């Protein structure tokens, strides 16, 4: 997929799931007013990946917003979808980390698959029992 994720993998880390913004991001007033140039930039510069060790999200070209959260720090991933989102396959994912981190990402393609991939990786982590 994108260069940011591949460039920031650590030793022994591999990508298990990737997605991107949904095409619905082009259907906005912002897209229309900028002749879809800003929507194209958003689409090309957004990366959403799950590795065997982390959740990695990167959005933006000049002004960049990133989230790199170790899987051990992920409490949950919530998915919000409107009726149209369910029909067309997009939604908002909110990644909730330990310590109150709450990061929403809107208009993501296949949000339920993203959450499922996170849950699968979490189930593979060793369970700590004191």
């Amino acid at each position: 997929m994108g260069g940011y994720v591949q460039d920031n993998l650590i030793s022994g880390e591999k990508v298990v799931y990737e997605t991107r913004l949904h095409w619905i991001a082009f259907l906005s007033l912002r897209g229309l007013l900028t002749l879809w140039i800003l929507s194209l930039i958003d689409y090309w510069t957004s990366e959403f990946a799950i590795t065997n060790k982390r959740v990695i999200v990167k959005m933006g070209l000049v002004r960049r917003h990133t989230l790199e959260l170790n899987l051990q720090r992920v409490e949950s991933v919530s998915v919000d979808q409107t009726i149209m989102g369910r029909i067309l396959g997009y939604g908002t994912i909110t990644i909730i980390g330990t310590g109150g981190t709450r990061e929403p990402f809107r208009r993501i393609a296949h949000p339920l698959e993203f959450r499922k991939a996170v849950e699968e990786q979490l189930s593979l982590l060793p369970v700590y029992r004191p």
Side-chain angles (χ1 to χ4, degrees):
M1 181 179 186
Y4 180 84
V5 171
Q6 293 301 323
D7 291 344
N8 288 287
L9 294 178
I10 58 178
S11 178
E13 189 173 26
K14 62 180 181 178
V15 175
V16 296
Y17 182 81
E18 293 177 293
T19 192
R20 56 183 330 122
L21 288 177
H22 193 270
W23 60 262
I24 200 77
F26 292 95
L27 301 180
S28 67
L29 183 60
R30 177 179 178 245
L32 182 65
L33 292 175
T34 62
L35 302 175
W36 295 280
I37 292 171
L38 291 181
S39 296
L40 274 172
I41 291 171
D42 288 345
Y43 186 80
W44 285 333
T45 62
S46 297
E47 301 178 42
F48 303 88
I50 300 164
T51 71
N52 57 332
K53 297 182 179 189
R54 298 183 288 171
V55 175
I56 302 173
V57 176
K58 190 270 287 186
M59 297 180 77
L61 178 65
V62 176
R63 183 177 162 260
R64 185 176 286 180
H65 176 73
T66 62
L67 171 72
E68 297 181 25
L69 191 60
N70 290 336
L71 284 173
Q72 294 92 346
R73 301 289 184 205
V74 175
E75 282 187 7
S76 67
V77 176
S78 66
V79 175
D80 293 315
Q81 285 184 297
T82 61
I83 294 171
M84 190 61 73
R86 291 191 63 193
I87 293 168
L88 297 176
Y90 72 93
T92 298
I93 56 170
T94 303
I95 300 170
I96 302 169
T98 57
T101 304
R102 179 181 291 269
E103 295 283 341
F105 299 97
R106 291 170 179 75
R107 299 182 310 270
I108 307 305
H110 314 293
L112 295 174
E113 292 175 22
F114 186 91
R115 180 178 65 191
K116 181 180 178 184
V118 171
E119 295 298 330
E120 286 174 351
Q121 291 306 303
L122 288 173
S123 72
L124 298 175
L125 292 177
V127 177
Y128 174 73
R129 291 191 176 100

